[in-house]
Every structure is written in structure tokens, then in C-alpha cells.
Amino acid sequence: MILKNIKQLVTFTGHEAIPGNDPARAQILEGIDIKIEDGLISQIGPNLSGIGPEIDCSDFTVTPGYVDSHTHFIFGGNREDEYRMRLAGASYVEIMEAGGGIRTSVRHTRAASLEDLVESGRIRLMGFLENGITSLESKSGYGLDLETELRQLEAMKVLQAQSALTIVPTFMGAHDIPEEFADRPKAYLDYILETVLPEVTKQGIAQYVDIFTEKGVFGIEESRDFLEQVKQQGYPIRMHADEIVPLDGAVLAGQVAAVSADHLLQISPRGIEALKRSGTIAGLLPLTAFSLRAEYAPARDLLDAGVPVNLATDYNPGSCHSFSVPLLIALSTIYMRMSMLEVLCGLTINPAASLGIAHQVGTLEVGKRADILLHRAPNIHFLPYHFGVNTVEIVIINGEVQLDRRNSHVSRK
Ligand code: NIG
Ligand code: FE
């Protein structure tokens, strides 16, 4: 396949996260072609020829497929009733303390079969794809017992075998304290370390381990002990840190050299320094801040300090029931004051690096997989300008067209 006469191609380059999402490291090419062979990008240049289908890209801006480095998309049931309570003024924490929140989804997920989880997950994957997401991370954490955590991870494995999208599984048994262990967080974490994680390892079905370090969930010292032992069991770490109450979770993320520290709505200057020192990537989740009516993370402070930033959806049944990339771009540019090139970096190479897949995806370069978005836009800066609107017209994964909206427009005749 050849993508002909691309109006504007925008990509970062390389295999590593870019400190401060430096826009000077973006590559912008015009009037160029991309040749795809065996699912990989084989050439980028002017006037390429070859056999096979051509797509005229003279109206399109072309970017790498988006990489979503933080989702919880495998769960049973829904929580629209709790969302309605939040719209009426109840806080996320009040609902959680009343036994709702994550625990509601745990009840639903324990009651769901593998088939239920696969089927609802399959439909959600189509939604990610429509938003231009071609790779995503996926956390367990709505089982909080051996059987259900494994079932969630198994659903991801089944979906990976059926789907063109890349799914990177994370074990998040430490998402909350289940009712059986109420008020015994330490005993629960020991159960995870001694019983659940070894079985996950035996089955080889998770690549990262994550924890929700938060007031009322897991405290700093508990989290530290847990993460040290997780590292000894051979896993790189992701963290939910400084989301609601400032506990200096980001400082801990730096100390344990987490790959990614996410949320960070309440990060302190010490936290920013710690992330910078350890090379931990900051995962910002503006859709969640929006849904919680919270202050956005201090993106400018992180970027200006040279920390690499990811932007992810955090799609989940509670704090953020959305994977709208158009809304994410709008919030990042308007409220977090990021430029569109910084945003693109946070949606492509940086998350790919944080998931260990940047040797395959995250940039458009010869030898990388052809995961490519064709946007109906004359240039990259049109994306935030057309705020809240999906510009993704065609999605190519592994060299194959997975979504094509060209025929869904009203005929001009
Ligand atoms: O990233 N903060 C913890 N976990 C999710 C919320 C999960 C839920 O509400 O079900 C998050 O926001
Ligand atoms: Fe999350």
C-alpha cells in the first residue's frame, strides 16, 4: 500500500521518551508518500511507486496511531447511577466511603463470565479505534481476588488474539481493598504478593504492576513495601499517584523508579523533581480531572522541568467513563496549556516508550509498524482548533485499513 501525496505528515522520531515533549524534535514533512510492505513502513519520501492500493492523502494530515498508556477497560456492569449522584453534588470519595465506587464494579466484575468480559471489551475496543487509538494499556483491578483478577487478564489475552489493536496488560490487584479484607490493607497486599502475583507470573499474562496510592486506599509506606517486593518478583511499576489527596506519591514513584506515575493532580514541586531525577514518565489524565471537576495536573510545570509527559484516557466505569480523544486534546490545549505538538508527543512516542513498545510503534519511521492515522485536516494545528470533533478519517493498523469514514459523509452531488 502507498499513502500518496500527504498534505502534512507529523511525527516524532526514535525509540525513547522525549523529555518535556520538546516540540523542536517533531518532524513535519509535506507532499510526501509512505510505502507500506508486510505491515511495516518500508519507505518515506517523494514520488514513491510500487504495486498495490494507493490512498490519496492530499487532503489529510497523517500522524502515528495514538497509544493510550492508562485504561481500565475490562469490567462488568456500569455506574451511571453513581455518576448521576456526582452530577448532583456527591464527591467521588463520598461515594467510595459509602461502599460504592470501585467496590461496585468489583461486585459486577466478579459476577461477569469470561465471555461477558470479552464481549463488552470487544465493543469498547471499537470505540478506542474510532478515536484513533491503535495501542492501549489495560489494567485488571476489578476482581481483587485470585479468580477474577486472572479472568480479567485472560479476557485481555483473548481480545489480543482477536483484535488488531495492541493490548499491554497490567496487573492492578492493588486497586482497592476488597470487603473480605476491610481495614486490613497490609493483609490484602500480602495476599496479592504471596498468592495472586505468583500465579499471574506463572501464566505470563501481565507486563506491569500498578497500585492506587491514595488516602483511604494504600498509604505511602504500605505502597513502598509492596512495590519493593513487586520489583523483586521482576515487574516494572506503574502508579496511581497524587490523584485526590496530596501524599507525595510522585516522590515514592521516583524512589522506586516507576516507569510511569499517573494522575498527579496534586503533585508537589518535590514530586516533579523526583520524577525528573528517576526518568519516570508523568501520565496525565485530563478526562478524569474534568469528570471529577478537579484542577488539572500542572502540565506546564512538568514539561518545563523536562519531565516526559503522556496523555491517556484512564477509561474506566467510575472516575472517567470516556475515551474521547477529541475532548482530551481540547482539555490539554485549553486548560493544561500544552501545544498540539506537545500533545501529539504525549499521545504517541512517550506512551509507547512507557509501555515498552516504542521499538515497534509511536512514530512514523522506516521499520516501524504501519499504525497510522489519516486526519481530515490540512495541518496538525487544525486538530485542537476543531475542538471536540473527531478528525480521524482512516485508521491503518499493521498496514491494513481498520476504519474508513470516507464513505460516511453526505454526498456532495
Ligand atoms: O484511575 N483512581 C483509581 N482508579 C481509577 C478509578 C476507578 C474507578 O472509579 O472505578 C482511576 O481514576
Ligand atoms: Fe486509572
Side-chain angles (χ1 to χ4, degrees):
M1 186 194 296
I2 300 192
L3 309 181
K4 285 299 286 179
N5 202 17
I6 294 167
K7 175 94 173 143
Q8 187 178 67
L9 183 160
V10 190
T11 184
F12 287 79
T13 55
H15 301 75
E16 275 159 33
I18 295 182
N21 300 30
D22 184 1
R25 297 199 24 202
Q27 204 179 76
I28 302 182
L29 302 169
E30 295 186 346
I32 212 93
D33 303 345
I34 297 179
K35 190 166 169 180
I36 301 167
E37 288 174 285
D38 300 324
L40 302 180
I41 297 173
S42 63
Q43 273 188 73
I44 301 177
N47 306 316
L48 302 182
S49 57
I51 38 169
E54 285 187 3
I55 300 179
D56 172 24
C57 294
S58 52
D59 284 335
F60 295 142
T61 293
V62 172
T63 68
Y66 297 140
V67 179
D68 186 348
S69 58
H70 184 141
T71 86
H72 311 246
F73 87 99
I74 299 293
F75 56 85
N78 282 306
R79 285 167 29 210
E80 66 272 31
D81 48 347
E82 290 182 3
Y83 191 72
R84 196 166 131 202
M85 288 161 69
R86 287 210 289 117
L87 291 181
S91 76
Y92 183 82
V93 171
E94 281 162 9
I95 292 171
M96 183 173 94
E97 283 170 356
I102 292 171
R103 285 186 181 182
T104 303
S105 293
V106 169
R107 284 191 290 275
H108 293 153
T109 306
R110 286 180 178 180
S113 66
L114 177 65
E115 291 69 33
D116 295 336
L117 295 178
V118 167
E119 181 54 18
S120 57
R122 194 180 61 76
I123 291 166
R124 290 169 196 148
L125 281 178
M126 289 195 275
F128 283 101
L129 179 74
E130 285 169 356
N131 277 275
I133 293 165
T134 51
S135 299
L136 72 166
E137 185 254 17
S138 172
K139 301 178 198 295
S140 70
Y142 291 116
L144 312 186
D145 62 18
L146 176 65
E147 193 193 327
T148 319
E149 288 292 313
L150 291 174
R151 193 156 71 246
Q152 279 192 281
L153 293 167
E154 182 65 27
M156 295 168 206
K157 189 172 159 187
V158 171
L159 285 166
Q160 180 62 96
Q162 299 175 357
S163 168
L165 287 85
T166 298
I167 302 169
V168 179
T170 293
F171 171 65
M172 198 176 178
H175 196 193
D176 199 358
I177 304 155
E179 265 149 58
E180 310 86 88
F181 286 90
D183 303 319
R184 293 186 295 139
K186 168 96 175 66
Y188 177 59
L189 292 176
D190 287 345
Y191 162 72
I192 292 180
L193 288 167
E194 287 157 22
T195 307
V196 189
L197 192 53
E199 190 56 34
V200 168
T201 303
K202 204 155 112 200
Q203 298 194 17
I205 46 176
Q207 293 180 21
Y208 294 90
V209 172
D210 199 334
I211 186 169
F212 189 15
T213 299
E214 184 59 64
K215 180 162 180 268
V217 192
F218 301 108
I220 289 287
E221 291 315 316
E222 275 154 17
S223 300
R224 185 193 312 277
D225 291 345
F226 175 75
L227 293 172
E228 294 292 358
Q229 292 184 60
V230 161
K231 281 209 306 199
Q232 278 172 23
Q233 293 196 33
Y235 287 90
I237 291 163
R238 318 185 81 83
M239 276 184 76
H240 283 60
D242 295 331
E243 178 181 0
I244 299 168
V245 176
L247 298 181
D248 263 336
V251 172
L252 174 60
Q255 288 165 345
V256 298
V259 173
S260 185
D262 295 10
H263 284 292
L264 308 178
L265 305 183
Q266 305 287 344
I267 191 173
S268 67
R270 259 161 49 84
I272 294 177
E273 211 24 64
L275 297 187
K276 194 181 167 184
R277 221 174 308 123
S278 60
T280 299
I281 299 178
L284 305 188
L285 316 169
L287 295 171
T288 309
F290 173 76
S291 163
L292 296 177
R293 290 196 178 106
E295 290 291 323
Y296 294 88
R300 281 264 53 98
D301 294 344
L302 287 155
L303 292 165
D304 296 344
V307 175
V309 166
N310 281 348
L311 293 164
T313 64
D314 193 24
Y315 172 67
N316 73 67
S319 65
C320 184
H321 193 250
S322 177
F323 36 58
S324 169
V325 174
L327 179 56
L328 183 152
I329 292 173
L331 299 174
S332 303
T333 51
I334 292 280
Y335 290 120
M336 301 203 304
R337 299 181 184 275
M338 294 175 69
S339 73
M340 187 57 214
L341 291 176
E342 290 168 337
V343 169
L344 186 70
C345 183
L347 285 170
T348 55
I349 180 63
N350 284 0
S354 92
L355 294 175
I357 54 175
H359 51 292
Q360 291 173 308
V361 299
T363 68
L364 300 180
E365 293 175 274
V366 170
K368 286 223 188 175
R369 205 165 72 203
D371 285 10
I372 306 177
L373 307 182
L374 279 51
H375 301 263
R376 183 155 297 278
N379 58 67
I380 191 72
H381 303 294
F382 195 87
L383 273 59
Y385 169 58
H386 209 19
F387 63 85
V389 174
N390 192 356
T391 57
V392 174
E393 187 95 343
I394 297 179
V395 181
I396 296 169
I397 300 183
N398 210 10
E400 283 178 26
V401 173
Q402 292 290 336
L403 180 87
D404 186 349
R405 278 193 231 272
R406 279 176 301 177
N407 295 324
S408 68
H409 294 287
V410 176
S411 166
R412 283 187 218 135
K413 288 193 192 132

